[in-house]
Amino acid sequence: MRERLIWLVVAAMVLILAVLPLAISLDSAFRAETRFGLADRHSLDAFLDVFTGEEYLDALWQTILISTAVTVLCLVFGVIAAVLIARTDLPGKSALDLMVVMPMFLSPFTGLISWVALGSAKTGFLNNGLHALLAPLGIDLPPLMDVWTYGGTIWVMFLFFMPFVYLFTLGSLRSMDGALEEAARSVGASPIGALIRVTLPLCLPSILASGLVVFALTAETYTIPGEIGNYAGFTVLSWQIFLDATGANVHQAHAASAALMLVLVVVAALILQRRITRKSSRYVTVSGKGFSGRRLELGSWRWAAFGLVVLYIMFATVLPFAALLLSSFLRNSTAVVTMDMLTTEHYRQFFSNQDSYKALTNTLFLAVGSAAICVAAGFVISIADLRYSSFATRMVAMLSAIPVAVPGLVYGIGILWLSLKSPLYGTVWVLLGAYIAKFVPFGVMMSRGGLQQIHSDLDGSARMSGASPIQAMWYVTLPLMRMTLISSAFCIMLLCIKELSASAMLYTARSEVLSVLTWHYMDSGNTQFAAVVGVIQTVMMLGIVIGLRAAFGVKLERTMGRGGA
């Protein structure tokens, strides 16, 4: 009875948090609207207005253009970086491996704050630094870049989403048997020819899967294109959904219909990815044995390739964090930085402000609570599906994975409307439910991967010795999966700390978190306070990564890379 009770609690949680909000969101697309919200009767008015209206179709087109551009850039540079790290004699690969994935441990919106400081046309550090260097020579160039443009949106999202492609591709390259590549070289193929004609086709499923992840993340992100689009004069679908769902004039049915449109875009990308992957399966004959072949010698291109990787690290990690840190100490935005412009007053105000303290404690509570619940639920779902497989366990495992294929914005809408008439509305518990719904698939996938490496005979031996299922799990399976569960918990904590999409829709004054605080300061033009919160948020995430390495010797980037493969 205890085992069944645990299973039923987890199954109910999946149904309530992962399925019900999605059902509510999609049902709302086909309801009539009133001035006060949704009517009881169904209607196609909002659905037809969204799917045929010029405003929404233009936003859809902008979403597809930006998502495609970001995905292509990430695929090109991510695959190149992975090949250089995994297959060549590139110098300093151990250090570069960690530095390339560092943007994953930062918030993309924090990256926008950094690049506002770096790349604004009039006050950007890069533009003014270049002007200061060239002015004595009598050279007056226009600004090097302007982040408040269409291209600035693509640039910022490319920098912070590229590591997904890198990790997925790197994991596939490292787990691949190099026999076919060596065979191609033995019959006269050049190293690059063998790489293009043999190695990369074997990696195609992982590469395309990473492309799908980047496309979906870009399509659902509304903070970066929303902030820049207000200045540059364009609107993406995710930003329009956010305005419809939370603006002064709420249009719930329109928001739900636009969310359905966004789901269809992601599903179309998923179908395309699977069709291409199915065709590529004819290349896959040997995999999973680990690469042990010869490294590709770069020769005279060795240091040029090293410079390319370092250049990305500079733009995605070093410069953004340096600009963020400097901005947090400035009294106000300025083109010229002098010592009298520096102050610690912003930090003093942050730590003495009650709202900031509440946002900090809420963030820590949600990160720890979500990680604990997602890991525990993921472990129970995985062990039930793999060790006690039935139709019910398989169904729950499948339903728990739905949030991976559905933009988080859609879940935010469903949970918002689900909680409106409940006593939980406006509390931190609503955010906790949203985080669990969004990140429980990560707990399932990582637990499943670790559990598949443990033979079921070990559990069987314990059961034959008189142990109950819970005792076998507690004394046999859990100790063997300890490092996997620790890694997944810390990965989910990182994701929770930088989560903004659902938080910005569901928060109230009682449930504000650091990411929302950053959004508010940035939206009101107070970039210095936004930078302070961004620094604190980033230090928290880097502390988790460094602490995990020091305490347990676990490298999160390797764990995430294996998950991608």
Side-chain angles (χ1 to χ4, degrees):
M1 287 300 297
R2 287 181 300 174
E3 290 86 352
R4 286 185 177 179
L5 181 60
I6 293 173
W7 166 247
L8 288 174
V9 169
V10 172
M13 184 191 72
V14 169
L15 291 174
I16 293 173
L17 296 180
V19 179
L20 187 57
L22 177 61
I24 291 175
S25 181
L26 297 182
D27 176 70
S28 301
F30 301 98
R31 289 190 176 273
E33 285 181 336
T34 68
R35 290 184 301 170
F36 308 103
L38 296 175
D40 292 334
R41 62 185 179 86
H42 286 83
S43 171
L44 290 175
D45 291 346
F47 177 82
L48 294 176
D49 189 26
V50 168
F51 279 79
T52 61
E54 182 178 348
E55 179 183 12
Y56 288 91
L57 291 178
D58 180 65
L60 172 64
W61 178 241
Q62 297 295 341
T63 297
I64 293 174
L65 286 179
I66 291 176
S67 299
T68 302
V70 172
T71 302
V72 170
L73 285 173
C74 289
L75 286 173
V76 171
F77 287 93
V79 171
I80 290 175
V83 169
L84 289 174
I85 296 292
R87 282 292 194 268
T88 70
D89 60 346
L90 190 73
K93 291 192 292 185
S94 297
L96 295 179
D97 187 16
L98 174 61
M99 295 300 293
V100 168
V101 300
M102 284 302 292
M104 292 192 72
F105 306 135
L106 306 174
S107 166
F109 189 69
T110 302
L112 173 62
I113 298 172
S114 302
W115 274 99
V116 166
L118 285 168
S120 294
K122 295 182 179 180
T123 60
F125 297 144
L126 292 181
N127 292 322
N128 286 282
L130 182 64
H131 177 76
L133 288 174
L134 298 180
L137 302 177
I139 302 175
D140 187 14
L141 294 177
L144 178 66
M145 70 174 299
D146 184 4
V147 75
W148 296 103
T149 61
Y150 197 88
T153 302
I154 296 172
W155 170 251
V156 173
M157 288 200 281
F158 153 69
L159 289 177
F160 293 93
F161 290 150
M162 192 278 275
F164 286 95
V165 177
Y166 170 79
L167 279 178
F168 276 59
T169 308
L170 190 72
S172 181
L173 286 170
R174 282 174 169 163
S175 63
M176 184 186 303
D177 185 9
L180 288 181
E181 191 174 321
E182 290 295 318
R185 293 193 190 186
S186 67
V187 295
S190 65
I192 295 181
L195 182 70
I196 295 174
R197 298 182 63 182
V198 177
T199 306
L200 292 183
L202 288 171
C203 296
L204 196 57
S206 294
I207 293 173
L208 292 177
S210 68
L212 175 65
V213 170
V214 171
F215 186 90
L217 287 173
T218 307
E220 76 167 351
T221 299
Y222 61 84
T223 51
I224 296 174
E227 284 287 338
I228 296 178
N230 283 335
Y231 290 88
F234 67 89
T235 302
V236 295
L237 191 60
S238 54
W239 180 246
Q240 187 62 51
I241 295 171
F242 178 75
L243 294 179
D244 284 339
T246 62
N249 297 319
V250 177
H251 300 289
Q252 294 184 9
H254 283 74
S257 298
L260 176 59
M261 181 183 283
L262 191 60
V263 170
L264 293 177
V265 170
V266 176
V267 169
L270 176 62
I271 293 173
L272 178 63
Q273 179 251 338
R274 289 195 172 186
R275 285 181 63 88
I276 299 174
T277 302
R278 186 170 64 246
K279 292 180 181 179
S280 71
S281 60
R282 63 182 181 270
Y283 294 104
V284 182
T285 53
V286 181
S287 62
K289 298 182 179 179
F291 180 73
S292 58
R294 290 174 292 170
R295 301 293 178 184
L296 178 62
E297 296 182 2
L298 296 173
S300 58
W301 291 96
R302 192 165 181 252
W303 290 105
F306 176 80
L308 179 65
V309 178
V310 169
L311 198 62
Y312 168 77
I313 294 171
M314 288 292 296
F315 283 133
T317 302
V318 178
L319 286 176
F321 187 73
L324 188 72
L325 191 61
L326 179 59
S327 296
S328 70
F329 287 104
L330 291 177
R331 297 184 185 275
N332 49 59
S333 297
T334 178
V336 180
V337 179
T338 57
M339 290 301 296
D340 61 325
M341 291 295 298
L342 301 179
T343 179
T344 60
E345 180 63 19
H346 304 316
Y347 284 94
R348 188 194 67 78
Q349 291 184 20
F350 176 86
F351 286 108
S352 62
N353 185 283
Q354 187 64 30
D355 292 337
S356 300
Y357 177 76
K358 185 183 296 182
L360 180 61
T361 55
N362 284 341
T363 300
L364 291 173
F365 167 75
L366 289 169
V368 175
S370 300
I373 295 173
C374 288
V375 170
F379 176 73
V380 171
I381 292 170
S382 298
I383 201 168
D385 186 32
L386 293 176
R387 297 289 192 261
Y388 310 97
S389 182
S390 66
F391 174 79
T393 60
R394 290 192 298 271
M395 182 60 64
V396 171
M398 182 187 71
L399 293 175
S400 68
I402 288 179
V404 171
V406 177
L409 194 60
V410 180
Y411 276 98
I413 292 174
I415 292 177
L416 174 64
W417 297 337
L418 180 64
S419 64
L420 276 176
K421 297 181 180 180
S422 74
L424 295 178
Y425 177 71
T427 68
V428 73
W429 301 105
V430 174
L431 282 174
L432 181 64
Y435 286 14
I436 294 171
K438 191 171 182 180
F439 299 126
V440 74
F442 294 89
V444 174
M445 288 186 292
M446 291 186 176
S447 294
R448 187 181 183 88
L451 195 60
Q452 285 175 329
Q453 298 176 349
I454 301 174
H455 202 287
S456 60
D457 285 353
L458 294 176
D459 289 345
S461 299
R463 295 291 303 278
M464 290 179 65
S465 301
S468 67
I470 290 183
Q471 288 175 325
M473 178 185 71
W474 185 261
Y475 292 108
V476 178
T477 309
L478 275 176
L480 293 173
M481 289 187 61
R482 183 173 66 95
M483 298 311 297
T484 298
L485 297 179
I486 289 173
S487 298
S488 61
F490 278 92
C491 284
I492 294 171
M493 286 179 65
L494 291 175
L495 294 171
C496 291
I497 290 173
K498 66 180 184 178
E499 203 288 323
L500 177 58
S501 297
S503 303
M505 297 187 67
L506 298 171
Y507 85 97
T508 63
R510 292 181 294 166
S511 59
E512 202 168 37
V513 293
L514 288 179
S515 56
V516 173
L517 204 60
T518 310
W519 162 265
H520 280 167
Y521 285 135
M522 187 67 182
D523 195 44
S524 62
N526 195 339
T527 54
Q528 280 66 53
F529 269 98
V532 169
V533 182
V535 168
I536 293 170
Q537 193 179 20
T538 301
V539 169
M540 286 174 61
M541 290 187 281
L542 292 179
I544 289 174
V545 176
I546 295 171
L548 185 60
R549 281 173 171 255
F552 302 103
V554 175
K555 297 181 179 181
L556 280 179
E557 70 275 10
R558 295 294 181 91
T559 302
M560 298 167 77
R562 287 195 298 270

